[in-house]
Amino acid sequence: MQFTDTNCFLCGTTLTAEQRTPVFGEWLQNQYGLKHKELLLLDKSVTTFCQLTIPCCNHCHTHHVLPLEAAVEEAATSGIEGLRALDPQLLFHWIGKMYYGTLITELIKEADPLIMPQYAVSEDPKMLGKFRSFFQVLQSMRVPMVFSDFLPCSLFLLEVSPEEDALPFEYQDELTTMAFSIKLGSAAIVCTLLDNGIIKRALGKLYQLTQGRQLHPVQLAEFKARVFYAAYIFNVVPEYFIRPAAPEDRQLVIDTLIDDVTSEIFNPWDMTAYAHMLEEMLKPWGIREQQILLTPQQPISFLLDEQNDFKQMGRFVKPY
């Protein structure tokens, strides 16, 4: 794992300056007109989707990155059903590559920032430990690996109603909590990396209620807030171990361990902190924290009714 402009992001081999690959696949940029759209980095510098590239050797680009992008592009042509039919490990690779590519860019920028971020990611030992664990399982992009009875992430696939959906593409990430969301037309993917599916199990009942339904964009925003906040209070870093391999084996088998003896899996849920997260996600609808916490122990919800069943929504009506 090397955060430099001269080593392949995946295999680490030394590169020339020209050997790079887009963080966001070219098909994605072309389909959603992203090439010249701006992205604000942590040091307050601005880049564009087409300028956001990472060092990648010719072998990894040809044999691992391009086939991965092609598989996701083909699946995405069939919308949510195509993405659901895709091998979840491929979606983990695709999201992991975009997350890690963004991370590398931010860490390289920290060496010579436009404006020094308030909290430098590279100076947090716990974060570097998380990145090392993530880099280990991301190697499954190029090394045949089988995860014994888990996937190193939680994947949520949701369908969005077209009625009031004005954004064909949306993207959000949170580097420190490893939460990520991307919306492709009516299909949304929300993901928390490096949690071994624990957050998906914790939110399993809510996720089940959304399946087979089209969510209003404000409902998707609330779902993202719940997932991103769960990632924020997630408190453990899994360890990964390679099972001893026999000479004839053609793949590695990965086991995992989570220390839930000395650490709680989740820190306590704080309603005010969750309201901050929800307010951020609900900015397009102008809903403020005081409205979210009008009933302090029962924050506003567009997803669930008073009986905690799925709330059917047509057009959005501001509640206050």
Side-chain angles (χ1 to χ4, degrees):
M1 184 175 71
Q2 302 188 63
F3 303 126
T4 74
D5 262 328
T6 55
N7 297 91
C8 176
F9 85 98
L10 194 56
C11 73
T13 193
T14 305
L15 303 175
T16 63
E18 295 76 30
Q19 291 176 289
R20 303 185 71 82
T21 194
V23 172
F24 296 89
E26 287 188 0
W27 70 271
L28 200 62
Q29 296 183 41
N30 292 333
Q31 187 163 332
Y32 294 101
L34 304 177
K35 282 184 180 292
H36 303 295
K37 287 198 172 179
E38 293 184 341
L39 290 163
L40 181 67
L41 301 178
L42 292 177
D43 71 341
K44 306 304 180 186
S45 62
V46 174
T47 186
T48 62
F49 278 89
C50 67
Q51 290 172 332
L52 193 62
T53 61
I54 45 173
C56 183
C57 72
N58 292 340
H59 181 84
C60 285
H61 181 70
T62 303
H63 291 89
H64 307 306
V65 173
L66 290 182
L68 173 64
E69 292 289 352
V72 177
E73 179 184 9
E74 183 179 358
T77 59
S78 300
I80 191 70
E81 293 307 322
L83 292 169
R84 284 180 178 143
L86 194 64
D87 181 350
Q89 193 162 320
L90 288 180
L91 278 179
F92 165 65
H93 291 160
W94 187 61
I95 290 167
K97 172 217 157 197
M98 290 185 284
Y99 169 85
Y100 194 68
T102 306
L103 171 69
I104 289 173
T105 302
E106 296 285 13
L107 290 176
I108 291 172
K109 279 277 186 183
E110 278 189 3
D112 184 23
L114 180 67
I115 298 172
M116 178 58 75
Q118 185 177 1
Y119 303 105
V121 177
S122 57
E123 294 175 5
D124 185 339
K126 184 178 179 182
M127 286 308 304
L128 290 176
K130 285 176 73 173
F131 299 152
R132 272 192 287 271
S133 289
F134 177 67
F135 185 72
Q136 185 180 357
V137 290
L138 187 64
Q139 292 303 301
S140 58
M141 269 185 72
R142 69 181 186 94
V143 178
M145 285 186 192
V146 173
F147 300 106
S148 56
D149 57 355
F150 69 99
L151 194 64
C153 68
S154 288
L155 277 170
F156 303 91
L157 280 78
L158 305 136
E159 187 173 10
V160 183
S161 167
E163 187 172 349
E164 292 191 326
D165 183 13
L167 294 173
F169 177 87
E170 270 188 296
Y171 159 73
Q172 285 170 296
D173 67 15
E174 173 47 61
L175 293 181
T176 54
T177 63
M178 295 187 162
F180 182 103
S181 74
I182 190 165
K183 178 176 169 295
L184 312 173
S186 63
I189 306 169
V190 186
C191 180
T192 50
L193 297 163
L194 213 69
D195 75 329
N196 289 358
I198 291 172
I199 289 174
K200 187 172 184 177
R201 291 197 292 276
L203 297 176
K205 185 178 179 184
L206 176 67
Y207 183 49
Q208 193 61 39
L209 288 173
T210 68
Q211 297 305 282
R213 303 178 187 273
Q214 290 187 329
L215 273 63
H216 187 282
V218 76
Q219 293 179 307
L220 174 64
E222 180 184 335
F223 190 92
K224 288 193 296 186
R226 290 174 183 247
V227 173
F228 275 52
Y229 184 69
Y232 174 72
I233 60 174
F234 187 70
N235 191 41
V236 290
V237 180
E239 294 180 73
Y240 300 102
F241 306 94
I242 301 171
R243 283 189 198 172
E248 67 273 13
D249 288 349
R250 293 290 175 265
Q251 60 190 17
L252 300 178
V253 178
I254 309 297
D255 292 306
T256 188
L257 176 69
I258 288 181
D259 179 8
D260 58 355
V261 176
T262 59
S263 297
E264 292 288 335
I265 296 286
F266 290 99
N267 290 324
W269 181 285
D270 181 275
M271 205 61 79
T272 303
Y274 168 67
H276 286 325
M277 180 71 75
L278 185 55
E279 181 185 43
E280 186 65 28
M281 294 293 185
L282 295 177
K283 269 185 178 177
W285 294 273
I287 298 170
R288 311 301 294 175
E289 183 184 336
Q290 58 267 32
Q291 297 168 325
I292 292 169
L293 291 178
L294 202 61
T295 307
Q297 293 309 310
Q298 189 68 44
I300 193 171
S301 177
F302 299 98
L303 273 169
L304 301 175
D305 61 21
E306 292 179 359
Q307 287 73 45
N308 282 331
D309 292 323
F310 183 81
K311 185 184 287 187
Q312 298 289 347
M313 271 193 72
R315 301 186 70 81
F316 174 76
V317 178
K318 197 167 182 178
Y320 307 113

